[in-house]
């Protein structure tokens, strides 16, 4: 049986319809671009940096509070065990809690506040935009200077720093123990104010930062305060350690 040209119109429809679909899609893209004027047609997806930081911080705080509650539950259950080995380990843990940063520390303190350049200064600046913001190495330099000055405890944004704490720059924010923070960054060290101030003033990295802070074309924020009494709260984050292990063979 032979097939005539009028018996199977599908191939012809595909040949004619496919180019028409592509042309229609192109028209829709052009219309969308013209109507949006370079912006998102779904404005509800927009949010400012502060809102993002606040949302992520709230989520991290909820998870941290949940972890702390579970830790307290474990402690209560452990105390209820009448076991000599468990009691011995608990006594060892109590001894290590303070040096591990798990107990509050109070006393005189030095507080350093780092801030990005003011908006009016940033708008007039023609150099590298990175000059206008506080970086993780700036925060780390203050923290390290405080440790060298004998600080008994150090906090950033009110969060207690411990040996496993990481300060990480993420876009225009700094992450501390997984929680994002925006400037100003407040670093507080509990200890002898005179020794702490000496360590801070003698740090070469911070000396460069202070010079930049005095430059009116950049004017990043630098402020130092001495407090007669302050308290560093205990570390309340996760205590699990992640580490790599060799592959067998």
């Amino acid at each position: 049986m032979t097939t005539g040209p009028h018996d199977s119109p599908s191939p012809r429809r595909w040949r004619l319809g496919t180019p028409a679909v592509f042309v229609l899609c192109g028209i829709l893209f052009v219309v969308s671009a013209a109507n949006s004027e370079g912006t998102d047609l779904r404005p509800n997806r927009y949010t400012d940096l502060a809102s993002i930081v606040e949302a992520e911080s709230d989520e991290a705080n909820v998870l941290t509070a949940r972890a702390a509650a579970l830790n307290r539950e474990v402690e209560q259950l452990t105390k209820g065990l009448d076991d000599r080995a468990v009691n011995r380990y608990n006594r060892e843990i109590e001894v290590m809690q303070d040096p591990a940063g798990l107990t509050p520390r109070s006393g005189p303190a030095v507080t350093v506040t780092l801030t990005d350049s003011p908006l009016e200064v940033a708008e007039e600046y023609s150099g590298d935009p990175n000059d206008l913001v506080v970086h993780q190495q700036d925060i780390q330099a203050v923290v390290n200077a405080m440790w060298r000055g004998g600080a008994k405890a150090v906090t950033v944004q009110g969060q207690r720093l411990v040996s496993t704490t990481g300060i990480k720059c993420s876009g225009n924010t700094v992450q501390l123990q997984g929680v994002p923070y925006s400037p100003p960054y407040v670093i507080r060290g509990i200890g002898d104010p005179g020794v702490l101030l000496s360590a801070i003033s003698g740090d070469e990295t911070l000396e460069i930062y202070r010079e930049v802070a005095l430059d009116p074309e950049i004017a990043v924020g630098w402020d130092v305060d001495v407090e007669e009494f302050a308290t560093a709260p205990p570390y309340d984050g996760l205590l699990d350690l992640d580490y790599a292990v060799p592959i067998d063979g």
Side-chain angles (χ1 to χ4, degrees):
M1 180 177 178
T2 59
T3 301
H6 299 290
D7 296 330
S8 182
S10 296
R12 179 183 299 175
R13 291 196 189 101
W14 278 109
R15 288 196 299 271
L16 296 177
T18 300
V21 170
F22 281 112
V23 171
L24 180 60
C25 289
I27 294 174
L28 290 176
F29 281 130
V30 172
V31 172
S32 296
N35 289 336
S36 67
E37 296 181 349
T39 62
D40 196 334
L41 287 174
R42 292 169 291 180
N44 61 322
R45 295 175 59 189
Y46 276 109
T47 184
D48 56 30
L49 178 61
S51 298
I52 295 174
V53 171
E54 183 178 0
E56 293 189 3
S57 297
D58 290 343
E59 182 179 359
N61 290 334
V62 169
L63 294 176
T64 299
R66 176 60 177 163
L70 292 174
N71 286 334
R72 289 192 296 269
E73 185 177 347
V74 170
E75 291 176 1
Q76 291 298 325
L77 293 174
T78 302
K79 291 178 180 178
L81 294 175
D82 188 15
D83 186 275
R84 294 179 61 184
V86 172
N87 293 334
R88 184 177 72 253
Y89 288 130
N90 283 335
R91 288 193 294 271
E92 294 177 358
I93 290 173
E94 289 178 0
V95 172
M96 294 185 292
Q97 279 186 334
D98 184 63
L102 302 181
T103 58
R105 276 292 191 131
S106 300
V110 171
T111 300
V112 176
T113 304
L114 308 179
T115 316
D116 292 349
S117 300
L119 180 60
E120 59 271 16
V121 173
E123 291 176 344
E124 299 293 332
Y125 189 62
S126 59
D128 187 347
N130 287 317
D131 298 337
L132 304 171
V133 297
V134 177
H135 297 279
Q136 69 181 57
Q137 58 264 30
D138 302 321
I139 301 174
Q140 289 169 338
V142 176
V143 171
N144 290 337
M146 288 183 172
W147 287 133
R148 286 195 303 272
K152 296 178 175 59
V154 178
T155 64
V156 177
Q157 305 298 74
Q159 298 295 317
R160 181 75 171 268
L161 303 190
V162 294
S163 59
T164 57
T165 299
I167 300 172
K168 180 182 178 182
C169 186
S170 178
N172 292 333
T173 65
V174 167
Q175 285 196 2
L176 180 66
Q177 293 158 180
V179 181
Y181 294 98
S182 57
Y185 302 109
V186 180
I187 306 111
R188 175 177 289 115
I190 306 295
D192 187 318
V195 181
L196 290 175
L197 291 173
S198 178
I200 292 171
S201 62
D203 186 276
E204 294 181 358
T205 301
L206 296 179
E207 182 178 356
I208 296 173
Y209 183 96
R210 289 193 298 270
E211 291 176 356
V212 175
L214 292 174
D215 185 347
E217 293 186 357
I218 300 178
V220 289
W222 169 267
D223 185 68
V224 179
D225 289 321
V226 175
E227 301 172 84
E228 293 183 0
F229 185 85
T231 298
Y235 172 77
D236 61 356
L238 300 178
L239 298 174
D240 294 342
L241 297 178
D242 294 328
Y243 53 91
V245 295
I247 300 176
D248 294 339

